[in-house]
Amino acid sequence: MFEVTPFEKNIEVWRQLWRVVERSDVVAQVVDARNPELYRCRDLMRYVAEVDPKKQSILLINKADFLTLEQREAWAKY
């Protein structure tokens, strides 16, 4: 079951996010290397592309030192 947190219900949070995306050239998501796809927000990446196709979305993988060399190389190729 999907549950919305009080933080997500706060319209001011969304307004700030929209403002930041509109003013930014690059939007970076920092995700945990142990399971990047779990923490990655594809909706945010789609929204950034909708606002302006010239904007860049990048994925920064944190805690990469917990991965093997092979795993890091695979994520770099991805």
Side-chain angles (χ1 to χ4, degrees):
M1 181 174 160
F2 179 74
E3 190 172 317
V4 178
T5 67
F7 180 76
E8 293 169 311
K9 291 180 186 178
N10 185 341
I11 189 66
E12 191 56 34
V13 170
W14 294 107
R15 283 190 185 120
Q16 289 177 21
L17 176 63
W18 298 328
R19 221 174 284 132
V20 167
V21 169
E22 288 172 357
R23 294 180 180 181
S24 300
D25 294 323
V26 177
V27 176
Q29 291 185 59
V30 181
V31 296
D32 190 310
R34 294 169 289 186
N35 194 346
E37 288 297 328
L38 177 66
Y39 299 104
R40 176 183 188 184
C41 182
R42 290 181 185 274
D43 290 335
L44 177 59
M45 296 178 103
R46 276 192 288 271
Y47 175 69
V48 169
E50 285 176 19
V51 170
D52 185 350
K54 295 177 188 171
K55 291 185 185 287
Q56 301 261 336
S57 289
I58 61 172
L59 200 59
L60 299 175
I61 299 179
N62 192 22
K63 299 183 182 178
D65 53 323
F66 291 130
L67 301 179
T68 65
L69 177 60
E70 292 79 21
Q71 290 171 315
R72 288 194 303 271
E73 288 173 346
W75 275 111
K77 287 179 186 175
Y78 179 75

